Amino acid sequence: MSGVAAELARLGAELAHHDRLYHTLDAPEITDAAYDALRRRYNDLAATHPELIAADDPAAAVGAAPASGFAKLRHGVPMLSLDNAFGPEDFTEFCARIRRFLGLDEAPLAFVAEPKIDGLSISLTYEAGRFTQAATRGDGTEGEDVTANLHTLKDVPLALPAPFPARIEIRGEVFMTKADFLAMNAAQEKAGEKTFANPRNAAAGSLRQLDARITASRPLSLFAYAQGEASEQVAETHWDYLERLRAWGFQVNPLSSRITDAAAFQAEIATTRGLLPYDIDGVVYKLDDLALQRRLGFVGRAPRWAIAWKFPAEQATTVLEGIDIQLGRTGALTPVARLAPVNVGGVLVRNATLHNADEIARKDIRIGDTVIIQRAGDVIPQVVGIVAERRPPGIAPYAFPATCPACGSAVLRPPGEVVMRCTGGLACPAQVEERLIHFVSRGAFDIEGLGEKTIREFHAEGLVKSPADIFSELPPREPDIAAREGWGELSARNLMAAIAQRRTIGLARFIFALGIRRIGEANAKLLARHYGSYANWRTQMQAAVTIGAEARSDLGAILGIGTAIAQELAEFFAEPHNTAALDALAAQLTILDAEAQGGGELSGKNVVFTGTLETLTRPEAKAMAEKLGARVTDSVSKKTDLVIVGADAGSKARKAAELGVRILTEAEWRTLAAARAGMDGTP
Ligand code: IVH
């Protein structure tokens, strides 16, 4: 190591030490002047030898705020959300699902119950026992690098006492206690600074500071409760994992308990809730056995082995001042209640959903009524009913608009649906705008610098009329965009770079971005996997338009996506407006094949399970195969790649043998799947 590098390393370590003493422990050991001298020397060397500074060097980050936003960090294992339960029936169904999936009998399941604090989830990485980085949840796959900020939290151990794994992601919730929140708001107010609406916002606002010194001055706490990627298993049960966390110096919520009777625990916590020093909105129940957790895995964005049982919703009454009609990208008209502002469980509510025309009619909700508003967790507040006695005399029943408020086209209700739809299609500017917003949204093209507000502006001004315009019309207009209010050359250049970067896109994202009804992220992935390439998908979909309803139903079955969705796809492709927009867009892009995107190891393979499996339930076997990228189908054909036969397999096994399809026993399948997944073969 050169002399400079050695000095930088020494200064960096010293500064990190003094930063922590000063910011976190409020116990500095050296004078400010001495600290400043160290800091100046470090900064001078760092400025002349930037190549010697590691990107995550906490000494570099704490003192000096980076010029622009946070860097991105990729999570080793995605950070997911939780499904909700709102009552004992939901919880019973959750347990039944677990039993079905694992093929368990009625014996009680052992859970760990943890109060659910509404803060911000965070992932902390430890390498060789040292805290190396911290990331927010972000979109679940990638979060923001808040290492320097987390460095200032007293509840984040910087080094773990041995034994520890070589690498582990430890997850938890950053939050603010009620008392800290009130005191901080009072201080902010006195200083003429911004105050926060609730402890969650205060915690988020305090953590996401580019200048970590501000975070250091805020009273943030952390409870650790979960695990991300780990180089080795550190426990066999979640309970033991929590014990490990405690031993490593983390705060674990002291109310966390090992239970079998969730309803009793829920009732107990509900009565003590008000006395807790922090707000909670429910209890998280996690299956204790980690081997079972691994077998259960995930569906969509939530684990099958955990659930958040929320407390009953909070309600309030207020006056309904008006009803706005919001238009969705597929033309759905949603009525939204405009309310006299009212506080519901600590949150000021001005709007609430009215669901649809039927609901308004059923509850006989009229403008001018006093209505009951309900809020449960983070869901959108809803209008649950009216207070009949408070109805002012002479107000008229609500009449749902017969024409689209945006384009004047007729509003129709498709047979069998509750939703009213504008028939204007791409002639309706509101629908086009919503589609564009969807197109650039996070799971879709996700173009940085092109958010909802900008798209609305660009669309209103006629700059962007269709998705293809983003790629064909915006780049030549870079100078005009730079000249716009609030833009400037740098922002315009960044936007063009972001657009250029998105000219190459994976097939699944591309399909999802089109905003076809019922084609969410999961279905888009299924389609991408099934068809492999854009060209193939495009051809097959066009063919589906002409094949008739029965054939479409087969298509739905093959894909495992259902007839309704196959129908939706066919309708999309039957509309020349849509195919023209699609072709114009595709011409601007390089669309990557689904397999080329590093899909699962059995990517694109057709797998059939038949007979009685002994160590796996069917749903489990199917989930396992799909996780590796395979398609699970019911019948054996020439296209089948693999047939897994359990006990008493009949005609399908015979057919596979006739066709020369590869046949595996259940044990062979487990070995293969484990090898492909890089696991050890045990569940
Ligand atoms: S476990 C895969 N445990 O709730 C497991 N989450 O609705 C994911 N949360 O994003 C999370 N307390 O921010 C877990 N004891 C707890 C929690 C908890 C609060 C939050 C967390 C998560 C959200 C999901």
Side-chain angles (χ1 to χ4, degrees), residues 122-264:
I122 207 86
S123 186
L124 306 165
T125 305
Y126 287 80
E127 280 158 297
R130 305 224 145 245
F131 171 54
T132 53
Q133 63 182 37
T136 61
R137 174 164 141 191
D139 64 2
T141 311
E142 243 182 15
E144 285 175 330
D145 182 347
V146 287
T147 310
N149 310 61
L150 265 292
H151 228 264
T152 71
L153 257 68
K154 64 182 183 326
D155 293 345
V156 174
L158 297 182
L160 308 179
F164 44 73
R167 183 187 151 85
I168 185 167
E169 286 176 339
I170 290 169
R171 289 170 178 177
E173 199 85 354
V174 172
F175 66 97
M176 208 177 271
T177 65
K178 293 187 229 175
D180 281 339
F181 163 69
L182 292 173
M184 185 185 109
N185 253 1
Q188 292 281 109
E189 185 152 8
K190 212 166 145 203
E193 302 275 342
K194 175 179 160 103
T195 58
F196 294 95
N198 53 48
R200 201 208 101 84
N201 289 1
S206 301
L207 187 67
R208 296 188 64 260
Q209 290 286 340
L210 289 176
D211 183 347
R213 285 170 298 190
I214 300 178
T215 307
S217 72
R218 303 278 174 84
L220 292 171
S221 305
L222 172 93
F223 277 137
Y225 57 58
Q227 200 184 141
E229 193 176 36
S231 57
E232 65 190 76
Q233 294 304 329
V234 298
E236 290 186 358
T237 63
H238 183 62
W239 185 253
D240 289 345
Y241 175 65
L242 295 183
E243 288 297 327
R244 290 297 297 273
L245 288 176
R246 286 199 180 95
W248 284 332
F250 289 95
Q251 300 295 321
V252 171
N253 192 312
L255 296 172
S256 304
S257 307
R258 223 173 192 169
I259 58 117
T260 47
D261 186 346

Side-chain angles (χ1 to χ4, degrees), residues 428-497:
C428 173
Q431 280 187 53
V432 172
E433 193 166 300
E434 295 305 320
R435 283 189 206 191
L436 286 168
I437 288 167
H438 171 78
F439 184 81
V440 297
S441 68
R442 205 139 77 172
F445 272 69
D446 194 14
I447 298 174
E448 204 157 337
L450 204 54
E452 171 167 345
K453 194 167 147 264
T454 311
I455 279 283
R456 286 197 196 280
E457 279 174 30
F458 285 3
H459 177 251
E461 292 170 28
L463 216 55
V464 172
K465 299 190 212 65
S466 76
D469 289 352
I470 293 172
F471 299 94
S472 59
E473 302 301 311
L474 293 183
R477 291 194 170 69
E478 182 178 335
D480 308 342
I481 293 172
R484 292 170 73 94
E485 201 180 315
W487 279 80
E489 276 176 28
L490 182 65
S491 309
R493 198 175 334 126
N494 285 344
L495 174 61
M496 298 316 146

Side-chain angles (χ1 to χ4, degrees), residues 321-355:
E321 295 183 332
I323 295 180
D324 293 338
I325 301 291
Q326 261 177 16
L327 232 93
R329 64 169 204 271
T330 57
L333 302 180
T334 308
V336 177
R338 224 169 351 91
L339 305 165
V342 60
N343 189 319
V344 191
V347 173
L348 201 63
V349 173
R350 292 191 173 84
N351 301 301
T353 177
L354 285 161
H355 299 293

Side-chain angles (χ1 to χ4, degrees), residues 80-82 114-117 121 137 173 225 284 286 303 305:
L80 299 136
S81 59
L82 293 168
E114 301 164 1
K116 183 170 189 297
I117 299 180
S121 44
R137 174 164 141 191
E173 199 85 354
Y225 57 58
V284 181
K286 301 175 181 173
W305 42 264

